[in-house]
Amino acid sequence: MTDSSALDLDPEDRKIVTLARSARARNGVPEGAAVRDETGRTYVAGTVGLESLNLSALRTAVAMAVASGARSLEAAAVVTDTALPAEDVAAVRDLGGAGTPVLVAGPDGTVRETLTA
């Protein structure tokens, strides 16, 4: 990723955008997401689209962090073509607290906006 917005990101934030982008491409899903917990561990996920279970990539990544024992989040990133639902931001806020940054990037990895959970 060589776009100028990626170069302006902190290296750890650039890493989660890259991981989210990779998950989306590798799995051929509409969204890829990655979150970083309070210890620096990352959790990467794609959209889950089963007949009985539908989860956005970001909610899946947050659930993976919780299931792995994370107590908080430092940041989150999602790669998507669409607007981010409020429920996704709420999931980040539930674990990370108010003020946790959520980087929203397009498929090319360019960060379109940074939301605050």
Side-chain angles (χ1 to χ4, degrees):
M1 188 168 37
T2 59
D3 59 88
S4 62
S5 68
L7 297 175
D8 295 339
L9 290 177
D10 170 273
E12 291 300 314
D13 289 344
R14 190 175 326 128
K15 175 182 171 183
I16 61 173
V17 170
T18 300
L19 289 170
R21 185 177 179 208
S22 297
R24 181 181 185 269
R26 179 179 58 249
N27 298 322
V29 292
E31 296 177 344
V35 298
R36 184 176 62 248
D37 74 9
E38 75 283 0
T39 68
R41 291 180 297 179
T42 56
Y43 306 87
V44 181
T47 309
V48 174
L50 300 174
E51 188 173 320
S52 62
L53 179 64
N54 288 291
L55 292 171
S56 71
L58 189 52
R59 283 183 263 177
T60 303
V62 170
M64 291 172 63
V66 170
S68 297
R71 296 182 184 269
S72 184
L73 295 178
E74 291 182 348
V78 62
V79 173
T80 183
D81 284 325
T82 63
L84 202 58
E87 295 86 4
D88 284 16
V89 177
V92 172
R93 184 175 43 252
D94 286 348
L95 183 57
T100 304
V102 180
L103 306 167
V104 182
D108 65 352
T110 300
V111 176
R112 295 189 312 250
E113 64 181 324
T114 301
L115 304 174
T116 302

